[in-house]
Coordinates of all heavy atoms in Angstrom, one line a residue:
M274 N 116.2 120.9 100.2 CA 115.9 119.6 100.8 C 117.1 118.8 100.8 O 117.7 118.6 99.7 CB 114.8 118.9 99.9 CG 113.5 119.6 99.8 SD 112.4 118.6 98.7 CE 111.3 119.9 98.2
D275 N 117.5 118.3 102.0 CA 118.7 117.4 102.1 C 118.1 116.0 102.4 O 117.3 115.8 103.3 CB 119.6 117.8 103.2 CG 120.1 119.2 103.0 OD1 120.5 119.6 101.9 OD2 120.1 120.0 104.0
V276 N 118.6 115.0 101.6 CA 118.1 113.7 101.7 C 119.2 112.8 102.3 O 120.3 112.8 101.9 CB 117.7 113.1 100.4 CG1 117.0 111.7 100.6 CG2 116.7 114.0 99.6
A277 N 118.8 112.0 103.3 CA 119.7 111.1 104.0 C 119.0 109.8 104.2 O 118.4 109.5 105.2 CB 120.3 111.6 105.3
I278 N 119.0 108.9 103.2 CA 118.3 107.6 103.3 C 119.3 106.7 104.1 O 120.4 106.5 103.8 CB 118.1 107.0 101.9 CG1 117.2 107.9 101.1 CG2 117.4 105.6 102.1 CD1 117.0 107.5 99.7
P279 N 118.7 106.1 105.2 CA 119.6 105.3 106.1 C 120.2 104.1 105.3 O 119.6 103.6 104.4 CB 118.6 104.7 107.1 CG 117.5 105.7 107.2 CD 117.4 106.2 105.8
D280 N 121.4 103.7 105.6 CA 122.2 102.7 104.9 C 121.4 101.3 104.9 O 121.6 100.5 104.1 CB 123.6 102.5 105.5 CG 124.4 103.7 105.2 OD1 124.1 104.5 104.2 OD2 125.4 103.9 105.9
D281 N 120.7 101.1 106.0 CA 120.0 99.8 106.2 C 118.7 99.7 105.5 O 118.0 98.7 105.7 CB 119.9 99.4 107.7 CG 119.1 100.4 108.5 OD1 118.6 101.4 107.9 OD2 118.8 100.1 109.7
V282 N 118.3 100.7 104.7 CA 117.0 100.6 104.0 C 117.2 99.6 102.9 O 118.2 99.6 102.1 CB 116.6 102.0 103.5 CG1 115.4 101.8 102.5 CG2 116.2 102.9 104.6
D283 N 116.2 98.7 102.8 CA 116.2 97.6 101.7 C 116.4 98.3 100.3 O 115.7 99.3 100.1 CB 114.9 96.9 101.8 CG 114.9 95.7 100.8 OD1 114.7 96.1 99.5 OD2 115.0 94.6 101.2
P284 N 117.3 97.9 99.5 CA 117.5 98.5 98.2 C 116.3 98.6 97.3 O 116.1 99.6 96.6 CB 118.6 97.6 97.5 CG 119.3 97.0 98.7 CD 118.3 96.8 99.8
A285 N 115.4 97.6 97.4 CA 114.1 97.6 96.7 C 113.2 98.7 97.2 O 112.6 99.4 96.4 CB 113.5 96.3 96.7
V286 N 113.1 98.8 98.5 CA 112.3 99.9 99.1 C 112.9 101.3 98.7 O 112.1 102.2 98.4 CB 112.3 99.7 100.6 CG1 111.6 100.9 101.3 CG2 111.5 98.4 101.0
R287 N 114.2 101.4 98.8 CA 114.8 102.6 98.4 C 114.5 103.0 97.0 O 114.1 104.1 96.7 CB 116.4 102.4 98.6 CG 117.2 103.6 98.1 CD 118.7 103.2 98.1 NE 119.4 104.3 97.5 CZ 120.1 105.2 98.1 NH1 120.2 105.2 99.4 NH2 120.8 106.2 97.5
A288 N 114.7 102.1 96.1 CA 114.4 102.3 94.6 C 112.9 102.7 94.4 O 112.6 103.6 93.7 CB 114.8 101.1 93.8
E289 N 112.0 101.9 95.0 CA 110.6 102.2 94.8 C 110.2 103.6 95.4 O 109.4 104.3 94.8 CB 109.8 101.1 95.5 CG 108.3 101.2 95.2 CD 107.4 100.2 95.9 OE1 107.9 99.5 96.8 OE2 106.2 100.2 95.6
T290 N 110.7 103.9 96.6 CA 110.4 105.2 97.2 C 110.9 106.3 96.3 O 110.2 107.3 96.1 CB 111.1 105.3 98.6 OG1 110.7 104.2 99.4 CG2 110.6 106.6 99.3
I291 N 112.1 106.2 95.8 CA 112.6 107.3 94.9 C 111.8 107.4 93.6 O 111.5 108.5 93.1 CB 114.1 107.0 94.5 CG1 115.0 107.2 95.8 CG2 114.6 107.8 93.4 CD1 116.4 106.7 95.7
A292 N 111.3 106.3 93.1 CA 110.5 106.3 91.9 C 109.1 107.0 92.2 O 108.6 107.8 91.4 CB 110.2 104.9 91.4
I293 N 108.5 106.7 93.3 CA 107.3 107.3 93.7 C 107.5 108.8 94.0 O 106.6 109.6 93.6 CB 106.6 106.6 94.9 CG1 106.3 105.1 94.6 CG2 105.4 107.3 95.4 CD1 106.0 104.3 95.8
E294 N 108.6 109.1 94.6 CA 108.9 110.5 94.8 C 109.0 111.3 93.5 O 108.5 112.4 93.4 CB 110.3 110.6 95.6 CG 110.8 112.0 95.8 CD 110.5 112.5 97.2 OE1 109.9 111.8 98.0 OE2 110.8 113.7 97.4
K295 N 109.7 110.7 92.5 CA 109.8 111.3 91.2 C 108.4 111.6 90.6 O 108.2 112.7 90.1 CB 110.7 110.5 90.3 CG 110.9 111.1 88.9 CD 111.8 110.3 88.1 CE 112.1 110.9 86.7 NZ 113.1 110.1 85.9
A296 N 107.6 110.6 90.6 CA 106.2 110.8 90.0 C 105.4 111.8 90.8 O 104.8 112.7 90.1 CB 105.5 109.4 90.1
Y297 N 105.5 111.8 92.1 CA 104.8 112.8 92.9 C 105.3 114.2 92.6 O 104.5 115.2 92.4 CB 105.1 112.5 94.4 CG 104.5 113.4 95.4 CD1 103.2 113.3 95.8 CD2 105.3 114.4 96.0 CE1 102.7 114.2 96.8 CE2 104.8 115.3 97.0 CZ 103.5 115.1 97.4 OH 103.0 116.0 98.3
S298 N 106.7 114.4 92.5 CA 107.2 115.7 92.2 C 106.8 116.1 90.8 O 106.5 117.3 90.6 CB 108.8 115.6 92.3 OG 109.4 116.7 91.7
Q299 N 106.9 115.2 89.8 CA 106.6 115.6 88.5 C 105.1 116.0 88.3 O 104.8 116.9 87.5 CB 107.0 114.5 87.5 CG 108.5 114.4 87.4 CD 109.1 113.5 86.4 OE1 108.4 112.6 86.0 NE2 110.3 113.7 85.9
E300 N 104.2 115.3 89.0 CA 102.8 115.7 89.0 C 102.6 117.1 89.5 O 101.9 117.9 88.9 CB 102.0 114.7 89.8 CG 100.5 115.0 89.7 CD 99.7 114.0 90.6 OE1 100.3 113.0 91.0 OE2 98.5 114.3 90.9
L301 N 103.3 117.5 90.6 CA 103.2 118.8 91.1 C 103.8 119.9 90.2 O 103.4 121.0 90.0 CB 103.8 118.9 92.5 CG 103.0 118.2 93.6 CD1 103.8 117.9 94.8 CD2 101.8 119.0 94.0
Q302 N 104.9 119.5 89.5 CA 105.5 120.3 88.5 C 104.6 120.6 87.3 O 104.4 121.8 86.9 CB 106.8 119.7 88.0 CG 108.0 119.7 89.0 CD 109.2 118.9 88.5 OE1 109.7 119.2 87.5 NE2 109.6 117.9 89.3
R303 N 103.9 119.5 86.9 CA 103.0 119.7 85.8 C 101.8 120.6 86.2 O 101.2 121.3 85.4 CB 102.5 118.4 85.3 CG 103.5 117.6 84.5 CD 103.0 116.3 83.9 NE 104.1 115.5 83.5 CZ 104.6 114.5 84.2 NH1 104.0 114.1 85.3 NH2 105.6 113.8 83.8
G304 N 101.4 120.5 87.5 CA 100.3 121.3 88.0 C 100.7 122.8 88.3 O 99.8 123.6 88.6
G305 N 102.0 123.1 88.2 CA 102.5 124.5 88.4 C 102.8 124.9 89.8 O 103.2 126.0 90.0
E306 N 102.6 124.0 90.7 CA 103.0 124.3 92.1 C 104.5 124.2 92.4 O 105.0 124.8 93.3 CB 102.1 123.5 93.1 CG 100.6 123.9 93.1 CD 99.9 123.2 94.2 OE1 99.9 122.0 94.2 OE2 99.2 123.9 95.0
W307 N 105.1 123.2 91.8 CA 106.5 122.9 92.0 C 107.2 123.5 90.8 O 107.3 122.9 89.7 CB 106.8 121.4 92.1 CG 108.1 121.1 92.7 CD1 109.3 121.7 92.5 CD2 108.4 120.0 93.6 NE1 110.3 121.1 93.2 CE2 109.8 120.0 93.9 CE3 107.6 119.0 94.1 CZ2 110.4 119.1 94.7 CZ3 108.2 118.0 94.9 CH2 109.6 118.1 95.2
V308 N 107.6 124.8 90.9 CA 108.0 125.6 89.7 C 109.4 125.2 89.2 O 109.7 125.2 88.0 CB 108.0 127.1 90.0 CG1 108.3 127.9 88.8 CG2 106.5 127.4 90.5
H309 N 110.4 125.0 90.1 CA 111.8 124.6 89.8 C 112.3 123.6 90.7 O 111.9 123.6 91.9 CB 112.7 125.8 89.8 CG 112.4 126.9 88.8 ND1 112.7 126.7 87.5 CD2 111.9 128.1 89.0 CE1 112.4 127.8 86.8 NE2 111.9 128.7 87.7
I310 N 113.1 122.7 90.2 CA 113.9 121.8 91.1 C 115.3 121.7 90.5 O 115.5 121.5 89.4 CB 113.3 120.4 91.3 CG1 114.1 119.6 92.2 CG2 113.0 119.8 89.9 CD1 113.4 118.3 92.7
W311 N 116.3 122.0 91.4 CA 117.7 122.0 91.0 C 118.5 121.1 91.9 O 118.3 121.1 93.2 CB 118.3 123.4 91.1 CG 117.7 124.4 90.1 CD1 116.7 125.3 90.3 CD2 118.2 124.7 88.8 NE1 116.5 126.0 89.2 CE2 117.4 125.6 88.2 CE3 119.2 124.1 88.0 CZ2 117.6 126.1 86.9 CZ3 119.4 124.6 86.7 CH2 118.6 125.6 86.2
R312 N 119.3 120.3 91.4 CA 120.3 119.5 92.2 C 121.4 120.4 92.7 O 121.9 121.2 91.9 CB 120.8 118.3 91.3 CG 121.8 117.5 92.0 CD 121.3 116.7 93.2 NE 120.4 115.6 92.9 CZ 119.3 115.2 93.6 NH1 118.9 116.0 94.6 NH2 118.6 114.2 93.2
I313 N 121.7 120.3 93.9 CA 122.9 121.0 94.5 C 124.1 120.0 94.1 O 124.1 118.9 94.6 CB 122.8 121.2 96.0 CG1 121.6 122.1 96.3 CG2 124.1 121.8 96.5 CD1 121.4 122.4 97.7
V314 N 125.0 120.6 93.3 CA 126.1 119.7 92.8 C 126.9 119.1 93.9 O 127.3 119.8 94.9 CB 127.0 120.6 91.9 CG1 128.2 119.8 91.4 CG2 126.2 121.1 90.7
G315 N 127.1 117.8 93.8 CA 127.9 117.0 94.8 C 127.2 116.6 96.0 O 127.8 116.1 97.0
Q316 N 125.9 116.9 96.1 CA 125.1 116.6 97.3 C 123.8 115.9 97.0 O 123.3 116.1 95.9 CB 124.8 117.9 98.1 CG 126.0 118.6 98.6 CD 125.6 119.9 99.4 OE1 124.6 119.9 100.1 NE2 126.3 121.0 99.2
Y317 N 123.3 115.1 97.9 CA 122.0 114.5 97.7 C 121.0 115.5 98.3 O 120.4 115.3 99.3 CB 121.9 113.1 98.4 CG 120.6 112.3 97.9 CD1 119.7 112.8 97.0 CD2 120.4 111.1 98.4 CE1 118.6 112.1 96.6 CE2 119.3 110.3 98.1 CZ 118.4 110.8 97.2 OH 117.3 110.1 96.8
S318 N 120.9 116.6 97.6 CA 120.1 117.8 98.0 C 119.5 118.5 96.8 O 120.1 118.4 95.7 CB 120.9 118.8 98.8 OG 121.6 118.2 99.9
N319 N 118.4 119.2 97.0 CA 117.9 120.0 95.9 C 117.5 121.4 96.5 O 117.2 121.5 97.7 CB 116.8 119.3 95.2 CG 115.5 119.3 96.0 OD1 114.8 120.3 96.1 ND2 115.1 118.1 96.6
I320 N 117.4 122.3 95.6 CA 116.8 123.6 95.9 C 115.6 123.7 94.9 O 115.7 123.5 93.7 CB 117.7 124.8 95.6 CG1 118.8 124.8 96.8 CG2 116.9 126.1 95.6 CD1 119.7 126.0 96.7
S321 N 114.4 123.9 95.5 CA 113.2 123.9 94.8 C 112.5 125.2 95.0 O 112.6 125.9 96.1 CB 112.3 122.8 95.2 OG 112.8 121.5 94.8
I322 N 111.7 125.6 94.0 CA 110.9 126.8 94.1 C 109.4 126.3 94.0 O 109.1 125.6 93.0 CB 111.1 127.8 92.9 CG1 112.6 128.3 92.9 CG2 110.2 129.0 93.1 CD1 113.0 129.1 94.1
F323 N 108.6 126.7 95.0 CA 107.2 126.3 95.0 C 106.4 127.6 94.8 O 106.8 128.7 95.3 CB 106.8 125.7 96.3 CG 107.4 124.3 96.4 CD1 108.6 124.1 97.0 CD2 106.7 123.2 96.0 CE1 109.2 122.8 97.2 CE2 107.3 121.9 96.2 CZ 108.5 121.7 96.7
D324 N 105.3 127.5 94.1 CA 104.3 128.6 94.0 C 103.0 128.0 94.5 O 102.3 127.4 93.7 CB 104.2 129.1 92.6 CG 103.3 130.3 92.4 OD1 102.8 130.8 93.4 OD2 103.2 130.8 91.3
V325 N 102.7 128.3 95.7 CA 101.5 127.6 96.4 C 100.6 128.7 97.0 O 101.0 129.8 97.2 CB 101.9 126.6 97.5 CG1 102.6 125.4 96.9 CG2 102.8 127.3 98.5
A326 N 99.3 128.3 97.2 CA 98.3 129.2 97.7 C 98.7 129.8 99.1 O 98.5 131.0 99.4 CB 97.0 128.6 97.8
D327 N 99.2 128.9 99.9 CA 99.5 129.3 101.3 C 100.4 128.3 102.0 O 100.8 127.3 101.4 CB 98.2 129.5 102.1 CG 97.3 128.3 102.0 OD1 97.8 127.2 101.9 OD2 96.0 128.4 102.0
N328 N 100.8 128.7 103.2 CA 101.7 127.8 104.0 C 101.1 126.4 104.2 O 101.9 125.4 104.3 CB 102.0 128.4 105.3 CG 103.0 129.6 105.2 OD1 103.6 129.8 104.2 ND2 103.0 130.5 106.2
E329 N 99.8 126.4 104.4 CA 99.2 125.1 104.7 C 99.4 124.1 103.5 O 99.6 122.9 103.6 CB 97.7 125.2 105.0 CG 97.4 125.8 106.4 CD 97.8 127.2 106.6 OE1 97.8 128.0 105.6 OE2 98.1 127.6 107.7
R330 N 99.2 124.7 102.3 CA 99.4 123.9 101.0 C 100.9 123.4 100.9 O 101.1 122.3 100.6 CB 99.0 124.7 99.8 CG 99.2 124.0 98.5 CD 98.4 122.7 98.4 NE 98.7 122.0 97.2 CZ 98.7 120.6 97.0 NH1 98.4 119.9 98.1 NH2 99.0 120.1 95.9
L331 N 101.8 124.3 101.2 CA 103.2 123.9 101.2 C 103.5 122.8 102.2 O 104.2 121.8 101.9 CB 104.1 125.1 101.4 CG 105.6 124.7 101.3 CD1 106.0 124.2 99.9 CD2 106.5 126.0 101.6
H332 N 102.9 122.9 103.3 CA 103.1 121.9 104.4 C 102.6 120.6 103.9 O 103.2 119.5 104.1 CB 102.4 122.4 105.7 CG 102.6 121.5 106.8 ND1 103.7 121.5 107.6 CD2 101.8 120.5 107.4 CE1 103.6 120.6 108.6 NE2 102.4 120.0 108.4
E333 N 101.4 120.6 103.3 CA 100.8 119.4 102.8 C 101.6 118.7 101.7 O 101.8 117.5 101.8 CB 99.4 119.8 102.2 CG 98.6 118.6 101.7 CD 97.2 119.1 101.1 OE1 97.2 119.9 100.2 OE2 96.2 118.7 101.7
I334 N 102.2 119.5 100.8 CA 103.0 119.0 99.8 C 104.3 118.4 100.4 O 104.6 117.2 100.0 CB 103.4 120.1 98.8 CG1 102.2 120.5 97.9 CG2 104.6 119.7 97.9 CD1 102.5 121.7 97.0
L335 N 104.9 119.1 101.3 CA 106.2 118.5 101.8 C 105.9 117.3 102.7 O 106.7 116.3 102.5 CB 106.8 119.6 102.7 CG 107.3 120.9 101.9 CD1 107.8 121.9 102.8 CD2 108.4 120.5 100.9
W336 N 104.9 117.3 103.4 CA 104.6 116.1 104.2 C 104.2 114.9 103.4 O 104.3 113.7 103.8 CB 103.5 116.4 105.3 CG 104.1 116.9 106.5 CD1 104.7 118.1 106.7 CD2 104.2 116.3 107.8 NE1 105.1 118.3 108.0 CE2 104.9 117.2 108.7 CE3 103.8 115.0 108.3 CZ2 105.1 116.8 110.0 CZ3 104.1 114.7 109.6 CH2 104.7 115.6 110.4
G337 N 103.7 115.2 102.1 CA 103.4 114.1 101.2 C 104.6 113.5 100.5 O 104.4 112.5 99.8
L338 N 105.7 114.1 100.6 CA 106.9 113.6 99.9 C 107.2 112.2 100.5 O 107.4 112.0 101.7 CB 108.1 114.5 100.1 CG 108.1 115.9 99.4 CD1 109.2 116.8 100.0 CD2 108.3 115.7 97.9
P339 N 107.3 111.2 99.6 CA 107.7 109.9 100.1 C 109.0 109.8 100.8 O 109.2 109.0 101.7 CB 107.7 109.0 98.8 CG 106.7 109.7 97.9 CD 106.9 111.2 98.2
L340 N 109.9 110.7 100.4 CA 111.2 110.7 101.1 C 111.2 111.6 102.4 O 112.3 111.7 103.0 CB 112.3 111.2 100.1 CG 112.7 110.2 99.0 CD1 113.7 110.9 98.0 CD2 113.4 109.0 99.6
F341 N 110.1 112.2 102.7 CA 110.1 113.2 103.7 C 110.7 112.7 105.0 O 111.4 113.5 105.7 CB 108.7 113.8 104.0 CG 108.6 114.9 104.9 CD1 109.0 116.2 104.5 CD2 108.2 114.7 106.2 CE1 108.9 117.3 105.4 CE2 108.2 115.8 107.1 CZ 108.5 117.1 106.7
K342 N 110.4 111.5 105.4 CA 110.9 111.0 106.7 C 112.4 110.9 106.7 O 113.0 110.8 107.8 CB 110.3 109.6 107.0 CG 110.6 108.6 105.9 CD 109.9 107.3 106.3 CE 109.9 106.2 105.2 NZ 109.1 106.6 104.0
W343 N 113.1 111.0 105.6 CA 114.5 110.9 105.5 C 115.1 112.3 105.1 O 116.3 112.3 104.6 CB 115.0 109.8 104.6 CG 114.6 108.5 105.0 CD1 114.6 108.0 106.3 CD2 114.0 107.4 104.2 NE1 114.1 106.7 106.3 CE2 113.8 106.3 105.1 CE3 113.8 107.3 102.8 CZ2 113.2 105.1 104.6 CZ3 113.3 106.1 102.4 CH2 113.0 105.0 103.2
M344 N 114.3 113.3 105.1 CA 114.8 114.6 104.7 C 114.9 115.6 105.8 O 114.2 115.6 106.8 CB 113.7 115.2 103.7 CG 113.8 114.7 102.3 SD 112.4 115.6 101.4 CE 112.8 115.0 99.8
T345 N 115.8 116.6 105.6 CA 115.8 117.8 106.3 C 115.4 118.9 105.3 O 116.0 119.0 104.3 CB 117.2 118.1 106.9 OG1 117.6 117.0 107.7 CG2 117.2 119.4 107.7
V346 N 114.4 119.7 105.7 CA 113.9 120.7 104.7 C 114.0 122.1 105.4 O 113.6 122.3 106.5 CB 112.4 120.4 104.4 CG1 111.9 121.5 103.4 CG2 112.2 119.0 103.8
E347 N 114.6 123.0 104.7 CA 114.6 124.4 105.1 C 113.8 125.2 104.2 O 113.9 125.1 102.9 CB 116.1 124.9 105.1 CG 116.3 126.3 105.6 CD 117.7 126.7 105.5 OE1 118.6 125.9 105.6 OE2 117.9 128.0 105.4
I348 N 112.9 126.0 104.7 CA 112.0 126.9 103.9 C 112.5 128.3 104.0 O 112.7 128.9 105.1 CB 110.6 126.8 104.5 CG1 110.1 125.4 104.7 CG2 109.6 127.6 103.6 CD1 110.0 124.5 103.5
T349 N 112.5 129.0 102.8 CA 112.8 130.4 102.8 C 111.7 131.1 102.0 O 111.6 130.9 100.8 CB 114.1 130.7 102.1 OG1 115.2 130.0 102.8 CG2 114.4 132.2 102.1
P350 N 110.7 131.8 102.7 CA 109.7 132.4 102.0 C 110.2 133.6 101.1 O 111.1 134.3 101.5 CB 108.8 133.0 103.1 CG 109.2 132.3 104.3 CD 110.6 131.9 104.1
L351 N 109.7 133.7 99.9 CA 110.1 134.7 98.9 C 109.0 135.6 98.6 O 107.8 135.1 98.5 CB 110.7 134.1 97.7 CG 111.9 133.1 97.8 CD1 112.2 132.5 96.5 CD2 113.1 133.8 98.4
A352 N 109.3 136.9 98.3 CA 108.3 137.8 97.8 C 108.8 138.5 96.6 O 110.0 138.5 96.4 CB 107.9 138.9 98.9
G353 N 107.9 139.1 95.8 CA 108.4 139.8 94.6 C 109.2 141.0 95.1 O 109.0 141.6 96.1
H354 N 110.3 141.3 94.2 CA 111.1 142.4 94.5 C 110.7 143.6 93.7 O 110.4 143.5 92.5 CB 112.6 142.1 94.2 CG 113.5 143.1 94.7 ND1 113.7 144.4 94.2 CD2 114.4 143.0 95.8 CE1 114.6 145.0 94.8 NE2 115.0 144.2 95.8
P355 N 110.5 144.8 94.3 CA 110.0 146.0 93.6 C 110.9 146.4 92.4 O 110.4 147.1 91.5 CB 110.0 147.1 94.6 CG 110.9 146.6 95.7 CD 110.8 145.1 95.7
S356 N 112.1 145.9 92.3 CA 113.0 146.3 91.1 C 112.9 145.2 90.0 O 113.6 145.4 89.0 CB 114.4 146.5 91.6 OG 114.5 147.5 92.5
D357 N 112.2 144.2 90.2 CA 112.1 143.1 89.2 C 111.3 143.6 88.0 O 110.2 144.0 88.1 CB 111.4 141.9 89.9 CG 111.3 140.7 88.9 OD1 111.7 140.8 87.7 OD2 110.9 139.6 89.4
I358 N 112.0 143.6 86.8 CA 111.3 144.2 85.6 C 110.1 143.3 85.3 O 109.2 143.8 84.6 CB 112.3 144.3 84.4 CG1 112.9 142.9 84.1 CG2 113.4 145.3 84.7 CD1 113.7 143.0 82.8
A359 N 110.1 142.0 85.7 CA 109.0 141.2 85.4 C 107.7 141.7 86.1 O 106.6 141.3 85.7 CB 109.3 139.7 85.8
L360 N 107.9 142.5 87.1 CA 106.7 143.0 87.9 C 106.3 144.3 87.4 O 105.3 144.9 87.9 CB 107.0 143.0 89.4 CG 107.3 141.6 90.0 CD1 107.6 141.8 91.5 CD2 106.2 140.6 89.8
D361 N 107.0 144.9 86.5 CA 106.6 146.2 86.0 C 105.4 146.1 85.1 O 105.2 145.2 84.3 CB 107.7 146.9 85.1 CG 108.8 147.5 86.0 OD1 108.6 147.5 87.2 OD2 109.9 147.9 85.4
G362 N 104.4 147.0 85.4 CA 103.2 146.9 84.6 C 103.3 147.7 83.4 O 103.0 148.1 82.5
Ligands
LIG544 O1 116.3 113.8 94.8 C1 115.9 114.7 95.6 O2 116.4 115.8 95.6 C2 114.8 114.4 96.5 C3 113.5 114.5 95.9 C4 112.8 115.7 95.6 C5 112.1 115.5 94.4 C6 112.4 114.3 93.9 O3 112.0 113.7 92.9 O4 113.4 113.7 94.7

């Protein structure tokens, strides 16, 4: 997720939106759907790992992001790798 908040956004609106975004993200993290969030060093961007039931749920989560209107989001679907020892029974 790359974030680009326009320069002319009121600073109070900017701060409130970021605070609401943080609470939204942390609620999903506690619920187990937002598994990881990493800051990309030097950028207002993150790489996140989601574990969701289906594409519709991911779409719903992303569209619910308070910063979504100022974001560019790239999705890379992941599947388990057959050589992953975590998947060995
Ligand atoms: O700061 C960001 O990377 C954008 C956004 C995603 C989750 C969150 O709390 O903020």
Side-chain angles (χ1 to χ4, degrees):
M274 300 179 201
D275 302 316
V276 186
I278 302 175
D280 291 340
D281 61 355
V282 171
D283 182 285
V286 171
R287 177 191 171 98
E289 186 184 8
T290 306
I291 290 171
I293 296 169
E294 175 99 4
K295 180 175 181 176
Y297 178 83
S298 169
Q299 291 188 334
E300 184 181 343
L301 290 160
Q302 289 173 56
R303 289 188 194 97
E306 290 186 303
W307 196 325
V308 182
H309 293 288
I310 179 167
W311 293 91
R312 177 63 77 217
I313 299 178
V314 175
Q316 299 179 39
Y317 193 1
S318 304
N319 73 75
I320 288 184
S321 290
I322 304 289
F323 291 89
D324 185 359
V325 291
D327 50 32
N328 287 339
E329 285 69 29
R330 178 59 183 146
L331 182 59
H332 185 80
E333 182 179 61
I334 288 171
L335 295 174
W336 273 69
L338 289 165
L340 288 173
F341 186 76
K342 58 183 171 291
W343 298 318
M344 280 180 171
T345 302
V346 181
E347 183 181 333
I348 311 293
T349 303
L351 301 174
H354 192 287
S356 298
D357 184 350
I358 60 171
L360 298 180
D361 280 353

